[in-house]
Amino acid sequence: MLEIKNLHARIAEDGTEIIRGLNLSVKAGEVAAIMGPNGSGKSTLSYILAGRDDYEVTEGEILYNGESILEMDPAERAAAGIFLAFQYPLEIPGVATMEFLKTAINAQRKARGEEELKIPEMLKRVRAAADELDMSMDMLKRPLNVGFSGGEKKRAEILQMKLLEPKLCVLDETDSGLDIDALKIVADGVNALRSPDRAVLVITHYQRLLDYIVPDTVHVLYRGQVIKSGDKDLALELEKNGYAGVIDAAA
């Protein structure tokens, strides 16, 4: 589903290279974890996949279902089924969460040539998804993420993901700032979306998230490259021994 080949990318403003020849393949049905020390390029990779214009791809390619996405803007990527859950979701004053959900869902349906959802069907879908994430409908009347706790913001992100039903889900340190109860709820929401035709890319520092979202593959990112790949046991090894041994072996 996702094929990244010899990707090089830099910060658009100052030209600092962050991604330096990254290769990565994620199949449909796969949950892949990206781990690595701070500054290794994990979040940068997520932003590039989503089409954020702060970064410039200078070499290589990103193929999604066999087609390059490099010339697609963020809205086109979203309509094609790519979703990014942010590490720090933005607060948007003046925009009710429910109105945001309705606009996002119908914009994507329109881009795909589908009919917009009527209000009764929309409410039915939102209620069902919110119940699964232990979110009240009153919360959805509030401005998007404004005054939300860290856990509420992450649940709102997973709610969007459940309703938009993307094919490639990119989770950028979704566990950041979550207590154990919120972590379990968010992980359950992600696990409920696992399917043979959907891929999930989980970016995280810590093994604890991978206790709940068990990955099929684990990739270690360092200085903009994947330096080691393995199965779920690699994450346990990193938790026990840290990154130094893996980095030294790759040098």
Side-chain angles (χ1 to χ4, degrees):
M1 177 174 285
L2 176 67
E3 189 77 23
I4 302 175
K5 300 179 181 179
N6 191 35
L7 186 69
H8 292 254
R10 63 191 181 189
I11 299 173
E13 184 175 358
D14 62 16
T16 301
E17 189 174 40
I18 305 295
I19 303 298
R20 305 176 176 91
L22 188 150
N23 295 286
L24 178 68
S25 179
V26 182
K27 300 175 183 177
E30 182 179 348
V31 174
I34 301 288
M35 304 184 73
N38 286 331
S40 59
K42 300 185 302 297
S43 290
T44 296
L45 174 60
S46 72
Y47 296 151
I48 291 169
L49 289 173
R52 187 165 166 173
D53 61 8
D54 304 65
Y55 301 92
E56 178 183 4
V57 173
T58 58
E59 187 177 343
E61 59 183 351
I62 303 175
L63 302 178
Y64 170 65
N65 289 329
E67 296 185 6
S68 175
I69 65 171
L70 292 180
E71 299 303 319
M72 298 169 66
D73 65 30
E76 290 173 319
R77 298 184 194 200
I82 299 175
F83 179 92
L84 171 61
F86 294 99
Q87 180 181 1
Y88 301 111
L90 295 175
E91 296 186 1
I92 307 180
V95 178
T97 302
M98 187 66 189
E99 185 63 27
F100 172 83
L101 291 171
K102 183 181 76 170
T103 300
I105 291 169
N106 281 332
Q108 289 210 8
R109 291 180 68 87
K110 183 178 179 180
R112 296 168 183 167
E114 302 170 354
E115 290 187 5
E116 294 188 357
L117 289 180
K118 304 299 183 184
I119 295 298
E121 179 61 22
M122 178 75 69
L123 288 172
K124 179 180 177 181
R125 295 189 184 194
V126 172
R127 282 197 184 98
D131 286 346
E132 291 177 9
L133 292 167
D134 197 23
M135 296 174 66
S136 70
M137 292 300 290
D138 285 341
M139 179 179 167
L140 302 186
K141 297 175 184 177
R142 294 157 57 185
L144 183 63
N145 294 325
V146 176
F148 287 17
S149 67
E152 288 173 334
K153 288 180 179 180
K154 298 304 173 67
R155 289 185 215 185
E157 291 276 280
I158 302 304
L159 176 67
Q160 294 168 39
M161 191 166 71
K162 290 174 74 69
L163 292 167
L164 292 170
E165 299 181 324
K167 295 300 182 183
L168 175 61
C169 308
V170 182
L171 310 179
D172 182 20
E173 298 193 34
T174 296
D175 51 330
S176 178
L178 297 186
D179 61 29
I180 192 65
D181 291 329
L183 179 65
K184 289 179 179 179
I185 291 172
V186 167
D188 286 345
V190 174
N191 286 328
L193 284 165
R194 295 178 80 146
S195 74
D197 62 349
R198 177 176 291 119
V200 181
L201 192 62
V202 180
I203 296 170
T204 183
H205 279 295
Y206 305 112
Q207 163 62 32
R208 70 167 192 160
L209 177 63
L210 304 183
D211 287 336
Y212 300 103
I213 305 174
V214 180
D216 299 297
T217 54
V218 176
H219 307 277
V220 180
L221 191 63
Y222 178 66
R223 298 192 67 185
Q225 294 182 325
V226 173
I227 61 171
K228 186 171 183 178
S229 298
D231 59 17
K232 61 182 180 180
D233 292 335
L234 177 55
L236 296 172
E237 175 190 332
L238 296 170
E239 181 76 8
K240 181 179 179 181
N241 301 319
Y243 294 105
V246 174
I247 291 171
D248 289 345

